Amino acid sequence: MLPENLKESEAGTVGLPIRIVVLSIVGFVGFYAILSALAAAPAPDEPMYVTTNISTLSLSSGGEESDFSLQISVFDRENRGVGEANVIVWSPDRKKAYSGITNPDGNVIIKVLNPELPAGKSEGYFAVKVMRTGDRDFSEEYFLKMTRY
């Protein structure tokens, strides 16, 4: 129960409605500031992924030259081709790099000239890196397997 003198005192309730209004306005202004900051945040970079027309490359170990063309396709997460992306491919020994820029459909053909395997190995992997402004870089160390027989 409330004490008798508190029931008769109006001091606690005189300023209460205006205090509630002021605190509500301050709270709404703070809430609006937080929502505005979230809405103005930059969008995250879009992810990309890369495919090629072959999955394994087998070359003879004879002294002949082994030049070939590698078709690479770059896609976004909705499976649309990503144009103007810079594609870099490294040979398995990481001593040679080949590059190209994708067309509007997201495709590029890269000429690979005499790729070499690491010393003492009979197989290795091409590495790839794809870069484009506004998109998250894509890199894969084990992009394409190469074997010599």
Side-chain angles (χ1 to χ4, degrees):
M1 301 263 357
L2 294 173
E4 287 298 320
N5 60 355
L6 189 58
K7 290 181 185 177
E8 297 172 4
S9 174
E10 295 179 5
T13 59
V14 170
L16 186 60
I18 194 69
R19 287 182 192 149
I20 291 173
V21 169
V22 169
L23 288 175
S24 296
I25 291 172
V26 170
F28 286 132
V29 168
F31 185 65
Y32 176 76
I34 291 170
L35 287 179
S36 295
L38 290 174
D45 293 339
E46 291 290 321
M48 296 183 289
Y49 70 95
V50 180
T51 62
T52 185
N53 58 339
I54 55 177
S55 60
T56 303
L57 179 66
S58 296
L59 300 174
S60 66
S61 58
E64 62 204 43
E65 294 198 3
S66 54
D67 300 344
F68 62 94
S69 295
L70 186 62
Q71 179 182 342
I72 295 177
S73 301
V74 180
F75 299 102
D76 62 10
R77 71 173 148 198
E78 280 92 29
N79 291 329
R80 295 177 300 200
V82 176
E84 297 182 10
N86 187 9
V87 179
I88 303 170
V89 177
W90 286 273
S91 64
D93 65 355
R94 304 297 190 262
K95 292 182 181 177
K96 295 179 183 176
Y98 313 94
S99 66
I101 306 255
T102 58
N103 63 16
D105 295 329
N107 299 317
V108 63
I109 296 177
I110 295 180
K111 299 265 187 204
V112 178
L113 308 172
N114 294 324
E116 295 294 328
L117 290 168
K121 302 279 184 171
S122 63
E123 65 182 31
Y125 291 89
F126 284 89
V128 67
K129 182 166 188 174
V130 180
M131 300 167 287
R132 181 175 178 235
T133 303
D135 291 317
R136 190 178 316 142
D137 291 353
F138 174 87
S139 55
E140 176 64 51
E141 292 292 319
Y142 304 101
F143 181 62
L144 174 64
K145 184 176 183 177
M146 180 178 125
T147 58
R148 289 232 186 239
Y149 59 91

